[in-house]
Amino acid sequence: MNYVDGFLAAVPAANRQAFLDHATAALPLFKEYGALRVVECWGDDVPDGKVTDFKGAVQAKPDEVVVFSWIEWPSKAVRDAGMKRMMEDPRMRDMTMPFDGQRMIFGGFQPILDA
């Protein structure tokens, strides 16, 4: 099975187009460095939880929307090499993120079921 990077971020609702523009600009770089698929999802039905929830995880403010994203890679090795090269690429370093990246959470995941 492939390898997946998952991301959760709080994006100001007013920055929806700026976020989409940023994601669209980064997409060719991810593909160039081995990503098979990049998916960006704008929160539409993100309820408040009783113990925890998506909003709390990224400390979303009232004017922010939770974005759930993932990048699919052919393997963890390709992901590790690709992400290293991405972070060193001046095209990526020079991009301005339209949200607070310090509140973004992310991790790498090995799929165990893909039906």
Side-chain angles (χ1 to χ4, degrees):
M1 280 198 227
N2 296 333
Y3 195 77
V4 176
D5 277 325
F7 305 87
L8 196 63
V11 179
N15 288 0
R16 180 180 173 140
Q17 187 59 51
F19 178 82
L20 184 56
D21 293 345
H22 172 77
T24 301
L27 175 62
L29 298 176
F30 281 109
K31 294 280 195 153
E32 179 179 331
Y33 293 125
L36 301 173
R37 182 176 179 208
V38 176
V39 179
E40 303 285 357
C41 304
W42 191 258
D44 179 62
D45 184 13
V46 183
D48 293 333
K50 292 183 181 176
V51 177
T52 190
D53 58 30
F54 282 109
K55 295 173 193 171
V58 292
Q59 301 172 355
K61 298 173 185 167
D63 66 335
E64 293 178 324
V65 174
V66 175
V67 173
F68 175 66
S69 309
W70 70 90
I71 302 170
E72 188 176 344
W73 303 88
S75 67
K76 186 174 190 294
V78 171
R79 175 270 210 157
D80 290 348
M83 288 300 281
K84 181 180 185 306
R85 290 178 67 201
M86 282 280 299
M87 295 304 116
E88 295 169 350
D89 191 313
R91 296 173 294 175
M92 187 65 180
R93 280 196 322 253
D94 293 343
M95 286 186 192
T96 302
M97 290 194 307
F99 60 94
D100 180 359
Q102 292 184 1
R103 290 185 287 137
M104 179 174 68
I105 60 175
F106 56 91
F109 298 87
Q110 180 66 55
I112 58 174
L113 176 67
D114 187 351

